[in-house]
Short mmCIF file of all heavy atoms in Angstrom, two decimals:
data_model
loop_
_atom_site.label_atom_id
_atom_site.label_comp_id
_atom_site.label_asym_id
_atom_site.label_seq_id
_atom_site.Cartn_x
_atom_site.Cartn_y
_atom_site.Cartn_z
N GLY A 831 130.71 56.90 55.48
CA GLY A 831 132.05 56.82 56.12
C GLY A 831 132.51 58.20 56.57
O GLY A 831 132.66 59.09 55.78
N THR A 847 127.88 65.20 56.64
CA THR A 847 126.97 64.40 55.86
C THR A 847 127.74 63.55 54.88
O THR A 847 128.83 64.03 54.37
CB THR A 847 126.00 65.25 55.07
OG1 THR A 847 126.71 66.12 54.18
CG2 THR A 847 125.18 66.12 56.03
N LYS A 864 129.31 58.97 49.89
CA LYS A 864 130.64 59.53 49.64
C LYS A 864 131.27 59.80 51.00
O LYS A 864 130.69 60.54 51.78
CB LYS A 864 130.53 60.73 48.82
CG LYS A 864 130.08 60.54 47.32
CD LYS A 864 130.16 61.80 46.55
CE LYS A 864 129.74 61.57 45.09
NZ LYS A 864 129.79 62.83 44.30
N PRO A 865 132.47 59.35 51.25
CA PRO A 865 133.08 59.52 52.57
C PRO A 865 133.57 60.90 52.85
O PRO A 865 133.92 61.66 51.92
CB PRO A 865 134.24 58.51 52.53
CG PRO A 865 134.66 58.45 51.11
CD PRO A 865 133.35 58.59 50.37
N VAL A 866 133.70 61.24 54.08
CA VAL A 866 134.32 62.46 54.59
C VAL A 866 135.54 62.04 55.41
O VAL A 866 135.49 61.23 56.31
CB VAL A 866 133.34 63.29 55.46
CG1 VAL A 866 134.15 64.42 56.19
CG2 VAL A 866 132.23 63.90 54.59
N HIS A 867 136.66 62.65 55.05
CA HIS A 867 137.94 62.37 55.76
C HIS A 867 138.47 63.63 56.42
O HIS A 867 138.61 64.66 55.77
CB HIS A 867 139.01 61.87 54.80
CG HIS A 867 138.68 60.54 54.20
ND1 HIS A 867 138.86 59.32 54.83
CD2 HIS A 867 138.13 60.24 52.96
CE1 HIS A 867 138.45 58.35 54.05
NE2 HIS A 867 138.00 58.86 52.90
N ILE A 868 138.66 63.59 57.71
CA ILE A 868 139.18 64.73 58.49
C ILE A 868 140.55 64.29 59.03
O ILE A 868 140.61 63.30 59.75
CB ILE A 868 138.21 65.12 59.59
CG1 ILE A 868 136.87 65.59 58.95
CG2 ILE A 868 138.79 66.27 60.46
CD1 ILE A 868 135.80 65.83 59.95
N ILE A 879 129.19 72.89 58.54
CA ILE A 879 128.55 71.82 57.73
C ILE A 879 129.50 71.30 56.69
O ILE A 879 130.09 72.08 55.93
CB ILE A 879 127.26 72.33 57.06
CG1 ILE A 879 126.22 72.84 58.10
CG2 ILE A 879 126.64 71.25 56.16
CD1 ILE A 879 125.02 73.53 57.50
N ILE A 880 129.67 69.95 56.71
CA ILE A 880 130.60 69.33 55.75
C ILE A 880 129.72 68.44 54.82
O ILE A 880 128.97 67.57 55.33
CB ILE A 880 131.64 68.51 56.41
CG1 ILE A 880 132.50 69.44 57.36
CG2 ILE A 880 132.53 67.82 55.43
CD1 ILE A 880 133.46 68.67 58.19
N VAL A 881 129.82 68.61 53.50
CA VAL A 881 129.05 67.84 52.56
C VAL A 881 129.79 66.56 52.16
O VAL A 881 130.96 66.42 52.38
CB VAL A 881 128.64 68.65 51.33
CG1 VAL A 881 127.94 69.99 51.71
CG2 VAL A 881 129.87 68.94 50.43
N PRO A 882 129.05 65.58 51.53
CA PRO A 882 129.66 64.32 51.21
C PRO A 882 130.86 64.44 50.29
O PRO A 882 130.90 65.32 49.38
CB PRO A 882 128.50 63.55 50.53
CG PRO A 882 127.29 64.11 51.05
CD PRO A 882 127.58 65.59 51.30
N GLY A 883 131.87 63.58 50.52
CA GLY A 883 133.01 63.51 49.63
C GLY A 883 134.16 64.47 49.91
O GLY A 883 135.16 64.43 49.21
N VAL A 884 134.07 65.22 51.00
CA VAL A 884 135.06 66.25 51.35
C VAL A 884 136.20 65.67 52.16
O VAL A 884 136.02 64.81 53.05
CB VAL A 884 134.44 67.43 52.07
CG1 VAL A 884 135.52 68.28 52.77
CG2 VAL A 884 133.61 68.29 51.13
N THR A 885 137.42 66.06 51.91
CA THR A 885 138.60 65.81 52.74
C THR A 885 139.12 67.12 53.28
O THR A 885 139.34 68.07 52.56
CB THR A 885 139.72 65.09 51.92
OG1 THR A 885 139.26 63.81 51.52
CG2 THR A 885 140.98 64.93 52.74
N ILE A 886 139.38 67.15 54.58
CA ILE A 886 139.96 68.29 55.23
C ILE A 886 141.34 67.77 55.80
O ILE A 886 141.38 66.91 56.65
CB ILE A 886 139.08 68.85 56.41
CG1 ILE A 886 137.74 69.30 55.83
CG2 ILE A 886 139.80 69.98 57.11
CD1 ILE A 886 136.78 69.74 56.88
N VAL A 898 131.44 73.45 54.04
CA VAL A 898 132.61 72.95 53.34
C VAL A 898 132.15 72.06 52.19
O VAL A 898 131.59 70.97 52.39
CB VAL A 898 133.51 72.18 54.33
CG1 VAL A 898 134.82 71.78 53.60
CG2 VAL A 898 133.84 73.00 55.58
N VAL A 899 132.37 72.55 50.97
CA VAL A 899 131.90 71.82 49.80
C VAL A 899 133.03 71.28 48.95
O VAL A 899 132.77 70.52 47.96
CB VAL A 899 130.93 72.69 48.93
CG1 VAL A 899 129.74 73.10 49.71
CG2 VAL A 899 131.67 73.89 48.35
N ASN A 900 134.27 71.69 49.22
CA ASN A 900 135.50 71.27 48.50
C ASN A 900 136.58 70.87 49.50
O ASN A 900 136.53 71.25 50.67
CB ASN A 900 136.01 72.39 47.61
CG ASN A 900 135.01 72.74 46.52
OD1 ASN A 900 134.63 71.96 45.74
ND2 ASN A 900 134.62 74.07 46.52
N ASN A 901 137.53 70.11 49.01
CA ASN A 901 138.65 69.69 49.85
C ASN A 901 139.38 70.91 50.38
O ASN A 901 139.57 71.94 49.67
CB ASN A 901 139.60 68.79 49.08
CG ASN A 901 138.97 67.48 48.67
OD1 ASN A 901 137.92 67.09 49.25
ND2 ASN A 901 139.58 66.76 47.78
N ILE A 902 139.89 70.82 51.66
CA ILE A 902 140.67 71.86 52.26
C ILE A 902 142.07 71.34 52.51
O ILE A 902 142.27 70.29 53.14
CB ILE A 902 139.99 72.29 53.57
CG1 ILE A 902 138.58 72.82 53.38
CG2 ILE A 902 140.87 73.41 54.25
CD1 ILE A 902 138.41 74.01 52.48
#
Side-chain angles (χ1 to χ4, degrees):
T847 63
K864 292 184 178 180
V866 168
H867 296 279
I868 298 172
I879 298 173
I880 301 174
V881 305
V884 163
T885 293
I886 300 174
V898 187
V899 299
N900 296 303
N901 294 343
I902 303 297

